[in-house]
């Protein structure tokens, strides 16, 4: 008995180089199939590298597979449907099987709403797909395949699920069998166990596993690690839901890793109540660099409602011990949980910060997702969850489309914004002058909800100071002083010296000065690409430049060039340069001297913006967006540049910075022609100025499908769904793919009949399939 099975791993939120792109689930299933005489292949569909229609068509033509399998999540289901429908277009009799977290507890009636899907896989994929492949190869009845749902004579048939083996080693390794190749990845995903025995009501995993944990043998895990290490991988992501479920087994595993795979590093997650100082030091000694704990909420009453069974003080102790053992710590948290309020959600955010956990990676909180199979989703109302009134097909779970009896839709949105503001990348970028317009645009685009939020004003004050907008910075400081004087972070921020900068002709660089320079470093006469800087801006004495560089630039006069030697510190971030010596050639464009102000009011009254005059606008835009803006704000307004692109750029920068009046002054001065008006309208819409966007876009109505879609989005932003629906039905947009996608969303928001929702979705999918088929011509 033989045959091929084709799998497609769809991961639109991970690039091909990410460990998330490793198709572990499909790999396990295919390895099991190969063990029993079947063959197959796994295709990838990733962010930035979608599966090409020709590649899929070639695989189907060459392999002639018995079935096509997908692992489905809420986030990828529409893309899965598109690829599955295209596959059916290529071969009508091809059996499409959907499995994965979104499918396990999905209502069987969903099959009536997904014409391209034939089978829902309910049981463990390694068992179901093997039994299915055997049945298909032999021509047997599907009733004999356990753990599936399918449609016969218009009715859904559910077959009983067969029990999975207790010993996971019955499933061959996708790595050792070379079923999947992790080449090019920096980290590999490994499973040492499956399942979770905890009773948490927000999670589907305990129910899917029957609250049972099953294990691979220690020998199997070590063999995989040694094999992968020989292929160049030395870091591992143990994806077990609870790595420390069995302390005795974990201690044995850690000893084996330390002795047989020395020097390997890994990430793992577990419950805080299962670790102590001894176990954490064992973990660190075996190579663990990061441990993640499921906190969910720092509010005891909320934890009780979700049956988490943890004490926040115990978690805090576990965090402290882990950090003392030399481990980085991540905390999984959620908001919008049953019983959660804005106050308790803020308490969780404060808890994470107070415990010194960096808000990055898995420590970035998210709204609770109500997936199929989670106990909360069985009866949301009993848990205070209120799903939004919208049309929802059976194949989509409630997910994030809800509010609660304690948190409105706006409250939940606010918590999402607050966590985003406190993310490490936002904080570090603002401190180092990176992505300032993105951050400012995020804050000002959500100004209504963030009004009076100290986190927002602290970030904006930093951004305005970096962009030489001292008066705007002073306004933020005044708000902080008036509205949050007792906030510890505000007090710390306001205690810093109030400094602006003043450009002085032929000034000399000194500690505290802000400098603008070009530089190149060479080593043995060879240019070092990583040292090349143009129009770089830095403040001396802030620690952002190598110490030897600061010494070399000290005393240099603006408008002059110099050369000096620099030794990179031993702990320099670039390992190739650490401890090395280089010769730097530097041209100092401008020196701005610090001006100290005694009060916020004095800063507001006396600080003045500086003039920045550089002719190379293209170079500025390429190398230093901040300086490009500072040059534009004077050049455009004083007609030093008549470049339309520069004017539109300044308009966009002003909007992101919250300088709406200045932005609109530019907008109304630009040429009254469709392309320019369309650009302005689109920028307004993207920056959440829907009303103004409609004013501009209305002037070019009917000129292009792209601009009409911007109008639809603006009406949706204003929650004027009827207006958006009327516009989306215009004949001009009848074949526009983006409009079709918007129409599906509008069908849901307007609570149109399910049949209409499905009609629109089918039309969208069929149009995408036609476009894919056209690529084969």
């Amino acid at each position: 008995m033989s045959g091929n099975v084709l799998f497609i791993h769809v991961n639109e939120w991970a690039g091909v180089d990410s460990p998330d792109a490793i198709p572990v689930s499909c790999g396990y299933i295919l390895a099991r199939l190969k063990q029993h005489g079947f063959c197959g292949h796994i295709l990838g569909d990733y962010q930035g590298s979608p599966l090409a229609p020709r590649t899929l068509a070639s695989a189907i033509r060459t392999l002639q597979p018995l079935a096509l399998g997908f692992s489905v999540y809420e986030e990828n289901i529409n893309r899965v449907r598109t690829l599955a429908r295209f596959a059916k277009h290529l071969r009508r009799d091809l059996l499409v099987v959907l499995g994965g977290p979104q499918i396990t507890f999905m209502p069987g009636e969903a099959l009536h709403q997904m014409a391209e899907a034939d089978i829902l896989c309910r049981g463990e994929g390694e068992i179901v797909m093997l039994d299915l492949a055997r049945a298909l190869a032999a021509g047997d009845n599907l009733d004999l395949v356990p753990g599936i749902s399918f449609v016969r004579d218009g009715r859904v048939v559910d077959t009983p699920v067969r029990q999975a083996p207790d010993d996971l080693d019955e499933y061959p390794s996708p790595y050792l069998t070379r079923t999947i190749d992790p080449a090019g990845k920096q980290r590999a995903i490994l499973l040492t166990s499956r399942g979770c025995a905890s009773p948490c009501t927000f999670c589907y995993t305990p129910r899917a596993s029957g609250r049972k944990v099953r294990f691979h043998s220690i020998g199997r895990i070590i063999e995989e690690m040694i094999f992968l290490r020989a292929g160049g991988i030395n870091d591992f992501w143990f994806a077990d839901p609870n790595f420390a479920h069995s302390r005795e087994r974990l201690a044995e595993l850690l000893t084996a890793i330390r002795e047989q795979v020395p020097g390997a590093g890994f990430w793992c997650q577990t419950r805080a109540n299962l670790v102590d100082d001894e176990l954490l030091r064992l973990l660190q000694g075996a190579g663990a660099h990061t441990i993640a704990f499921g906190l969910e909420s720092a509010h005891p009453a909320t934890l009780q409602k979700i049956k988490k069974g943890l004490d926040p003080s115990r978690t805090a102790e576990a965090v402290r011990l882990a950090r003392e053992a030399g481990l980085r710590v991540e905390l999984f948290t959620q908001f919008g949980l049953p019983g959660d309020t804005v106050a308790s959600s803020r308490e969780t955010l404060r808890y994470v910060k107070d415990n010194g956990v960096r808000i990055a990676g898995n420590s970035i909180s998210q709204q609770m997702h109500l997936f199929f199979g989670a106990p909360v989703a069985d009866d949301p109302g009993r848990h205070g969850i209120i799903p939004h009134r919208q049309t929802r097909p059976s194949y989509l779970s409630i997910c994030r489309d809800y509010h609660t009896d304690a948190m409105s839709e706006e409250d939940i949105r606010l918590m999402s914004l607050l966590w985003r503001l406190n993310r490490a990348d936002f904080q570090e970028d603002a401190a180092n002058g990176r992505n300032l317009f993105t951050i400012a645009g995020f804050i000002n685009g959500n100004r209504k909800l963030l009004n009076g939020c100290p986190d927002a004003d602290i970030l904006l004050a930093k951004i305005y100071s970096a962009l030489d907008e001292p008066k705007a910075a002073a306004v933020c400081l005044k708000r902080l002083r008036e509205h949050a004087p007792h906030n510890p972070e505000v007090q710390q921020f306001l205690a810093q010296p109030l400094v602006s900068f003043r450009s002085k002709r032929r000034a000399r660089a000194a500690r505290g000065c802000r400098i603008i320079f070009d530089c190149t470093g060479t080593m043995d006469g060879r240019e070092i690409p990583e040292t090349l800087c143009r129009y770089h801006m830095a403040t001396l004495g802030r620690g952002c430049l190598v110490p030897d560089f600061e010494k070399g630039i000290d005393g240099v006069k603006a408008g002059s060039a110099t050369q000096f030697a620099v030794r990179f510190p031993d702990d320099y971030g670039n390992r190739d340069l650490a401890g090395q010596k280089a010769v730097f050639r530097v041209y100092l464009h401008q020196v701005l001297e610090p001006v100290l102000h005694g009060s916020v009011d004095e800063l507001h009254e006396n600080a003045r913006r500086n003039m920045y005059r550089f002719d190379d606008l293209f170079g500025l835009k390429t190398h230093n967006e901040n300086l490009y803006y500072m040059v534009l704000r004077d050049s455009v307004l004083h007609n030093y540049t008549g470049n339309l692109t520069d004017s539109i750029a300044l308009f966009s920068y002003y909007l992101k910075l919250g300088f709406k009046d200045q932005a609109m002054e530019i907008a109304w001065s630009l040429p009254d022609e469709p392309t320019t008006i369309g650009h302005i309208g689109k920028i307004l819409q993207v920056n959440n100025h829907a009303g103004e966007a409609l004013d501009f876009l209305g002037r070019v109505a009917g000129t292009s499908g792209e601009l009409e879609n911007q109008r639809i989005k603006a009406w949706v932003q204003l929650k004027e769904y009827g207006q958006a629906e009327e516009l989306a039905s215009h004949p001009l947009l009848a074949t526009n793919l983006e409009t079709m996608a918007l129409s599906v969303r509008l069908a849901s928001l307007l609570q149109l009949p399910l049949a209409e929702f499905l009609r629109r979705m089918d039309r969208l999918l069929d149009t995408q399939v036609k476009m894919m088929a056209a690529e084969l011509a």
Side-chain angles (χ1 to χ4, degrees):
M1 190 178 297
S2 64
N4 284 299
V5 178
L6 179 62
F7 296 91
I8 301 179
H9 181 56
V10 178
N11 194 329
E12 293 184 287
W13 56 95
V16 68
D17 294 330
S18 168
D20 282 339
I22 298 176
V24 171
S25 297
C26 296
Y28 261 99
I29 298 170
L30 184 53
R32 171 82 162 172
L33 288 168
K34 288 181 175 180
Q35 183 186 43
H36 291 271
F38 291 92
C39 301
H41 193 68
I42 303 172
L43 298 175
D45 183 74
Y46 306 117
Q47 183 187 70
S49 53
L51 177 61
R54 287 187 183 278
T55 302
L56 178 54
S58 175
I60 291 174
R61 183 177 61 253
T62 303
L63 296 175
Q64 289 297 307
L66 297 167
L68 175 63
F70 294 89
S71 186
V72 183
Y73 297 80
E74 178 89 11
E75 293 92 340
N76 74 358
I77 190 166
N78 286 335
R79 177 61 177 169
V80 166
R81 293 193 64 196
T82 300
L83 291 170
R85 190 165 290 209
F86 177 65
K88 286 277 196 179
H89 167 80
L90 296 172
R91 207 184 96 188
R92 188 177 298 274
D93 66 336
L94 180 59
L95 199 73
V96 171
V97 185
L98 306 184
Q102 182 74 357
I103 302 300
T104 305
F105 297 106
M106 179 185 286
E109 68 188 66
L111 283 168
H112 293 303
Q113 301 169 6
M114 297 186 292
E116 64 287 334
D118 298 301
I119 292 177
L120 303 182
C121 173
R122 310 295 199 174
E124 200 151 72
E126 291 86 348
I127 296 174
V128 174
M129 290 303 292
L130 178 57
D131 288 340
L132 177 62
R134 284 169 168 166
L136 293 174
D140 291 341
N141 198 308
L142 290 180
D143 295 73
L144 301 176
V145 179
I148 64 171
S149 295
F150 61 95
V151 175
R152 174 183 291 141
D153 299 328
R155 300 183 61 182
V156 176
V157 177
D158 298 307
T159 65
V161 176
R162 184 149 67 90
Q163 186 174 349
D166 286 336
D167 182 5
L168 287 182
D169 282 2
E170 286 193 26
Y171 300 151
S173 167
Y175 296 115
L176 298 175
T177 59
R178 301 181 187 274
T179 302
I180 54 179
D181 180 8
K185 308 293 190 298
Q186 298 298 311
R187 176 189 293 181
I189 304 172
L190 287 177
L191 283 165
T192 80
S193 67
R194 295 187 189 183
C196 181
S198 300
C200 307
T201 61
F202 61 85
C203 184
Y204 109 114
T205 301
R207 178 177 285 177
S209 64
R211 292 186 66 180
K212 182 178 181 181
V213 179
R214 297 171 295 140
F215 301 98
H216 278 298
S217 67
I218 305 297
R220 159 71 174 270
I221 300 160
I222 297 300
E223 187 179 3
E224 285 186 315
M225 293 181 73
I226 292 173
F227 175 83
L228 289 165
R229 195 173 188 184
I233 291 177
N234 202 38
D235 194 31
F236 301 93
W237 169 10
F238 288 120
D240 307 36
N242 193 347
F243 196 54
H245 176 75
S246 168
R247 184 189 179 98
E248 182 179 351
R249 173 185 171 277
L250 179 57
E252 183 182 350
L253 172 61
L254 295 176
T255 299
I257 292 173
R258 187 179 66 248
E259 292 176 351
Q260 299 181 55
V261 202
F266 62 87
W267 178 100
C268 62
Q269 63 178 324
T270 190
R271 288 173 62 93
N273 62 325
L274 296 180
V275 301
D276 54 25
D277 184 59
E278 180 185 5
L279 183 58
L280 290 166
R281 294 191 182 280
L282 280 175
L283 280 161
Q284 195 277 336
H289 49 69
T290 308
I291 187 167
F293 298 121
L295 171 66
E296 317 313 339
S297 172
H299 195 243
T302 301
L303 292 174
Q304 187 174 5
K305 282 183 176 289
I306 61 174
K307 297 185 179 179
K308 183 68 179 179
L310 285 178
D311 179 355
S313 63
R314 176 68 183 86
T315 302
E317 176 68 4
V319 171
R320 182 184 67 80
L321 291 173
R323 294 177 67 190
E324 288 179 355
L327 297 169
R328 291 194 294 270
V329 178
E330 295 181 335
L331 289 174
F332 292 102
T333 62
Q334 302 180 69
F335 50 88
L337 291 160
D340 220 0
T341 64
V342 172
S344 65
S345 296
R346 284 178 178 266
E347 183 181 333
T348 301
L349 174 56
R350 170 57 55 190
Y351 176 101
V352 173
K353 293 169 70 173
D354 286 348
N355 280 280
V357 175
R358 190 169 183 264
I359 301 178
N362 293 301
S363 298
I364 297 171
S365 191
Q366 62 180 350
Q367 181 185 347
M368 178 181 67
H369 290 37
L370 265 69
F371 292 134
F372 295 128
V376 172
D378 294 344
D379 185 1
R382 187 167 66 87
H383 298 275
I385 306 296
I386 306 164
H388 294 165
R389 294 172 61 86
Q390 59 188 47
T391 301
R392 182 182 296 107
S394 298
Y395 58 80
L396 294 181
S397 59
I398 296 170
C399 198
R400 295 184 297 268
D401 293 328
Y402 70 88
H403 58 280
T404 76
D405 55 6
M407 293 183 76
S408 67
E409 195 173 341
E410 289 74 21
D411 291 336
I412 291 174
R413 172 67 178 156
L414 173 62
M415 285 313 306
S416 175
L417 297 176
L418 292 179
W419 276 97
R420 181 84 179 270
L421 287 178
N422 283 276
R423 277 172 44 165
D425 58 343
F426 260 40
Q427 299 293 322
E428 291 164 4
D429 282 354
N432 293 293
R434 298 187 300 257
N435 301 315
L436 298 185
F437 298 101
T438 299
I439 301 170
F442 172 79
I443 295 171
N444 288 308
N446 294 285
R447 173 50 67 188
K448 188 174 180 181
L449 277 175
L450 292 174
N451 191 34
C453 170
D455 295 328
D457 277 324
I458 288 175
L459 277 176
L460 280 178
K462 291 177 180 178
I463 290 169
Y464 292 143
S465 295
L467 295 174
D468 198 1
E469 295 284 359
K471 291 189 181 298
V475 171
C476 294
L477 296 174
K478 283 184 176 182
R479 281 199 298 261
L480 289 168
R481 185 180 61 186
E482 293 169 7
H483 300 302
H486 304 298
N487 182 300
E489 290 181 1
V490 170
Q491 291 176 340
Q492 183 180 4
F493 185 65
L494 291 177
Q496 298 176 11
L498 298 173
V499 179
S500 65
F501 292 90
R502 179 179 59 201
S503 182
K504 186 177 178 182
R505 188 175 177 83
R506 310 299 288 174
R508 292 184 180 275
R511 184 178 179 83
C513 289
R514 178 177 284 179
I515 60 173
I516 302 169
F517 62 93
D518 299 341
C519 75
T520 306
T522 59
M523 196 179 295
D524 298 325
R526 235 178 351 97
E527 187 177 278
I528 308 168
E530 296 88 346
T531 65
L532 178 62
C533 288
R534 292 192 64 196
Y535 304 114
H536 190 73
M537 182 178 287
T539 302
L540 297 175
R542 292 263 182 96
C544 53
L545 298 173
V546 172
D548 277 2
F549 190 96
E550 291 217 2
K551 290 178 185 176
I553 202 72
D554 186 57
V556 176
K557 188 184 295 185
S560 61
T562 187
Q563 180 173 303
F564 48 83
V566 168
R567 182 185 183 278
F568 291 96
D570 293 334
D571 59 353
Y572 192 64
N574 186 324
R575 292 183 180 179
D576 292 334
L577 297 178
Q580 300 295 314
K581 290 184 178 180
V583 175
F584 272 80
R585 294 190 299 272
V586 181
Y587 178 75
L588 189 57
H589 288 285
Q590 196 166 347
V591 174
L592 297 99
E593 297 179 337
V595 179
L596 189 64
H597 300 275
S599 68
V600 173
D601 293 329
E602 182 187 326
L603 175 67
H604 187 266
E605 293 298 322
N606 298 333
R608 297 289 181 268
R609 284 192 332 199
N610 294 284
M611 292 285 288
Y612 298 85
R613 296 288 178 81
F614 290 86
D615 296 328
D616 183 13
L617 286 174
F618 178 79
L620 288 169
K621 188 176 183 179
T622 303
H623 297 283
N624 190 334
E625 185 182 35
N626 300 343
L627 189 55
Y628 174 60
Y629 159 74
M630 290 187 276
V631 172
L632 280 187
R633 69 186 174 198
D634 294 318
S635 301
V636 169
L637 294 180
H638 293 92
N639 298 316
Y640 295 132
T641 174
N643 188 300
L644 181 60
T645 301
D646 292 332
S647 296
I648 292 177
L650 182 60
F651 164 73
S652 177
Y653 289 143
Y654 275 153
L655 275 186
K656 292 180 186 301
L657 292 173
F659 302 160
K660 187 176 176 182
D661 290 344
Q662 293 95 314
M664 298 311 295
E665 182 182 349
I666 293 175
W668 290 110
S669 71
L670 293 175
D672 188 9
E673 54 88 23
T675 302
T676 302
I677 294 171
H679 276 309
I680 294 298
K682 183 176 181 179
I683 292 169
L684 283 163
Q685 188 272 319
V686 168
N687 286 280
N688 291 331
H689 295 286
E692 291 83 354
L694 287 169
D695 289 340
F696 278 85
L697 293 170
R699 294 162 57 190
V700 291
T703 58
S704 80
E706 180 188 2
L707 295 180
E708 293 301 274
N709 284 324
Q710 296 301 324
R711 292 175 69 199
I712 295 171
K713 292 176 184 177
W715 284 121
V716 171
Q717 280 181 351
L718 295 172
K719 297 190 175 181
E720 295 287 350
Y721 305 135
Q723 295 277 6
E725 171 76 358
E726 181 180 348
L727 188 55
S729 62
H730 194 284
L732 172 70
L733 303 173
T735 59
N736 188 290
L737 195 65
E738 185 178 12
T739 309
M740 292 180 196
L742 289 168
S743 294
V744 172
R745 184 182 176 198
L746 284 167
S748 180
L749 294 171
L750 286 165
Q751 301 173 55
L752 299 183
L754 178 61
E756 176 62 15
F757 177 97
L758 295 174
R759 185 191 71 80
R760 295 184 183 192
M761 178 57 79
D762 282 339
R763 185 162 174 260
L764 171 63
L765 293 172
D766 288 340
T767 301
Q768 290 174 315
V769 167
K770 287 179 182 177
M771 293 172 65
M772 295 171 73
E775 293 186 33
L776 303 181

